[in-house]
């Protein structure tokens, strides 16, 4: 969900970027997006000794992978620039209300980045991440399929969904309470009292895929959080389905 003022900013930037590129169509150096900062551990005051060696990955032909369609800008594969997406759509409304309109098993990734934490005790009911929301996430995400009674390596290839195409729910938040809240909600969803099939619906990915694949830019909000002493918590869960032998 993007609130209305945010929609205005996004549309203005898109319009201006298109105009700039159109005016310099014959200039090979023209670019759509130039006012962003790509993530690197050196810029993150909370990264410690962590070094992300993952290169920017190429899109597959149908454009459904999590990573950008951008080629690395040099031989070392460091991602120093990104081209615009050709498949961007903006829903100017409540993102939760859009979920029921999406087909089942159709989405490769859901990104929830820096949601409103509603930090007060009486505001938790308004948080985006709730049991019903996560159940909708599971419905629309593609599933990694496992055979009942085996470890997670027992993928059922005959289901038509393999591990490379499984959908992932990504969360980025600098509010520790919201991060813990989400983990508790995911545990509830995986618990049989919220699951008629009595089998887990999500598998925690630890560590997450490199953020260069799904959250490559540092937003103004994230940078402000760093300046105020808040680190970014990244969590990822893969949608899964257990099938009987």
């Amino acid at each position: 969900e993007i609130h209305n003022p945010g929609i205005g900013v996004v549309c203005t930037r898109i319009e201006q970027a298109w105009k700039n590129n159109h005016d310099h169509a014959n200039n090979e150096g023209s670019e759509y997006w130039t006012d962003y900062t790509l993530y690197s551990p050196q810029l993150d005051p909370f990264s410690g000794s962590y070094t992300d060696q993952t290169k920017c990955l190429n899109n597959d032909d149908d454009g459904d992978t999590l990573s950008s369609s951008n080629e690395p800008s040099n031989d070392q594969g460091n991602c120093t620039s990104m081209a615009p997406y050709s498949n961007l759509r903006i829903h100017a409304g409540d993102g939760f209300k859009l979920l029921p309109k999406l087909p089942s098993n159709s989405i490769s990734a859901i990104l929830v980045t820096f949601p409103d934490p509603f930090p007060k005790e009486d505001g938790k009911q308004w948080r985006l991440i709730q049991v019903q929301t996560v159940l909708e996430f599971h419905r629309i995400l593609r599933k990694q399929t496992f055979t009942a009674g085996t470890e997670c390596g027992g993928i059922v290839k005959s289901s038509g969904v393999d591990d490379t195409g499984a959908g992932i729910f990504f969360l980025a938040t600098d509010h520790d309470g919201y991060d813990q809240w989400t983990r508790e909600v995911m545990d509830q969803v995986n618990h049989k009292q919220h699951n008629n099939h009595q089998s887990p619906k999500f598998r925690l990915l630890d560590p997450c895929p490199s953020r260069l694949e799904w959250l490559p830019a540092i937003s103004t909000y994230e940078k402000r959080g760093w300046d105020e002493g808040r680190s970014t918590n990244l969590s990822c869960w893969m949608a899964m389905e257990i099938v009987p032998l």
Side-chain angles (χ1 to χ4, degrees):
E1 178 183 0
I2 306 177
H3 58 76
N4 287 335
I7 287 289
V9 171
V10 168
C11 290
T12 299
R13 289 183 177 179
I14 291 175
E15 182 179 10
Q16 186 61 47
W18 182 89
K19 182 178 184 302
N20 292 342
N21 191 267
H22 181 75
D23 291 345
H24 302 87
N26 296 324
N27 181 0
E28 294 182 358
S30 60
E31 295 182 351
Y32 281 93
W33 321 119
T34 58
D35 58 345
Y36 58 82
T37 301
L38 287 180
Y39 178 85
S40 72
Q42 290 74 23
L43 297 176
D44 185 348
F46 300 95
S47 65
S49 59
Y50 168 75
T51 300
D52 193 333
Q53 300 292 341
T54 303
K55 297 181 179 180
C56 284
L57 304 179
N58 294 332
N59 243 350
D60 58 9
D61 293 337
D62 63 7
D64 287 333
T65 57
L66 302 179
S67 52
S68 162
S69 59
N70 307 293
E71 292 287 351
S73 61
N74 55 42
D75 293 338
Q76 285 72 39
N78 295 325
C79 311
T80 57
S81 64
M82 295 184 67
Y85 289 94
S86 62
N87 58 351
L88 177 66
R89 301 293 184 271
I90 298 174
H91 174 66
D94 188 333
F96 176 75
K97 294 179 180 179
L98 178 66
L99 294 178
K101 303 180 184 299
L102 299 177
S104 300
N105 303 307
S106 64
I107 302 298
S108 61
I110 296 174
L111 283 71
V112 178
T113 59
F114 303 99
D116 190 331
F118 290 98
K120 295 182 179 180
E121 189 65 30
D122 59 356
K124 292 181 178 180
Q125 61 181 317
W126 304 113
R127 288 176 171 173
L128 172 62
I129 302 302
Q130 306 285 345
V131 168
Q132 187 56 44
T133 309
V134 173
L135 289 175
E136 274 297 288
F137 286 177
H138 183 267
R139 182 186 65 80
I140 64 179
L141 283 170
R142 298 169 183 172
K143 313 296 189 296
Q144 185 180 32
T145 312
F146 302 108
T147 302
T150 68
E151 297 298 328
C152 287
I155 302 171
V156 179
K157 298 296 185 182
S158 61
S159 67
V161 179
D162 62 22
D163 56 331
T164 60
I168 301 177
F169 161 42
F170 296 90
L171 172 71
T173 177
D174 60 3
H175 189 275
D176 292 340
Y178 199 98
D179 181 71
Q180 181 60 34
W181 166 273
T182 302
R183 292 173 181 272
E184 292 174 358
V185 170
M186 299 303 289
D187 286 343
Q188 291 180 53
V189 168
N190 280 337
H191 195 276
K192 63 181 181 180
Q193 66 180 348
H194 291 292
N195 187 343
N196 292 332
H197 298 288
Q198 297 187 3
S199 59
K201 290 184 176 292
F202 286 92
R203 179 163 63 94
L204 178 66
L205 299 181
D206 188 14
C208 275
S210 167
R211 70 170 285 171
L212 291 178
E213 297 183 35
W214 61 279
L215 191 65
I218 302 171
S219 68
T220 302
Y221 182 89
E222 182 176 21
K223 178 62 167 60
R224 185 167 68 245
W226 289 353
D227 293 341
E228 295 174 359
R230 299 191 302 272
S231 62
T232 300
N233 299 304
L234 305 177
S235 303
C236 311
W237 290 267
M238 178 179 289
M240 58 186 294
E241 183 176 39
I242 306 297
V243 296
L245 289 172

